Amino acid sequence: MGKSPARSWTEKFESSKPHEVKPVPINIAGMKKGEIMLVPSPRIVADFIARIPAGESMDVRTLRERLARRYKAEVTCPITTGFHLRTVAEAALEARSRGAALTEITPFWRVLDEHAPTTEKLSCGTAFVKKLRRREGLR
């Protein structure tokens, strides 16, 4: 039996678990045990980013704070958020490669700038993110 082929980012996006709100089990990643934590899904991260108007940006910390507030949690898991930011961005890039217009994909560049660690991992490279941010007048 051979190894199954790797899933695309779009498949990972579409097959991910729904979000959860639950207590933080241990002190980790700046969160304290017992705080109420949102473990986001890629869908809610993408939906949130899609509502950021063109020409406006938001850093990841602010995105996490606002997601937590929206889902009545105290914190948003930074580890899961980081994973899902990449999933959202790569799924958007896959849609773009299939012919979707920039206006039809999740505008991940409004959250990820060229200096974000997640951006360095993206298949498009940091220059593409920088170009999209400049196009919208973002620094």
Side-chain angles (χ1 to χ4, degrees):
M1 295 185 66
K3 190 175 176 181
S4 62
R7 294 186 307 158
S8 72
W9 290 100
T10 303
E11 289 168 328
K12 290 177 185 177
F13 180 93
E14 292 175 352
S15 65
S16 63
K17 296 190 301 189
H19 73 276
E20 289 182 82
V21 177
K22 62 184 185 181
V24 176
I26 58 173
N27 292 337
I28 185 170
M31 300 182 295
K32 295 184 175 100
K33 180 180 179 179
E35 285 184 309
I36 302 303
M37 168 182 65
L38 168 67
V39 181
S41 67
R43 170 61 62 198
I44 67 171
V45 171
D47 289 348
F48 190 89
I49 293 172
R51 288 191 207 100
I52 301 172
E56 292 185 25
S57 66
M58 180 179 296
D59 63 25
V60 175
R61 177 181 297 270
T62 303
L63 177 136
R64 288 180 39 227
E65 290 170 358
R66 292 190 181 174
L67 277 173
R69 214 175 311 142
R70 178 170 291 173
Y71 288 89
K72 303 190 183 333
E74 297 173 272
V75 294
T76 299
C77 178
I79 299 164
T80 308
T81 302
F83 288 140
H84 292 336
L85 280 170
R86 183 167 185 203
T87 301
V88 167
E90 295 287 7
L93 291 167
E94 286 177 352
R96 178 85 174 132
S97 72
R98 291 189 302 270
L102 283 175
T103 55
E104 297 172 326
I105 65 173
T106 304
F108 61 88
W109 56 90
R110 294 177 190 156
V111 173
L112 297 174
D113 64 19
E114 66 270 22
H115 305 295
T118 300
T119 306
E120 295 173 7
K121 298 175 187 171
L122 296 179
S123 61
C124 65
T126 57
F128 183 70
V129 172
K130 189 174 183 177
K131 177 181 157 187
L132 293 175
R133 289 180 64 84
R134 278 194 180 158
R135 180 182 286 184
E136 291 191 7
L138 304 174
R139 288 186 285 153

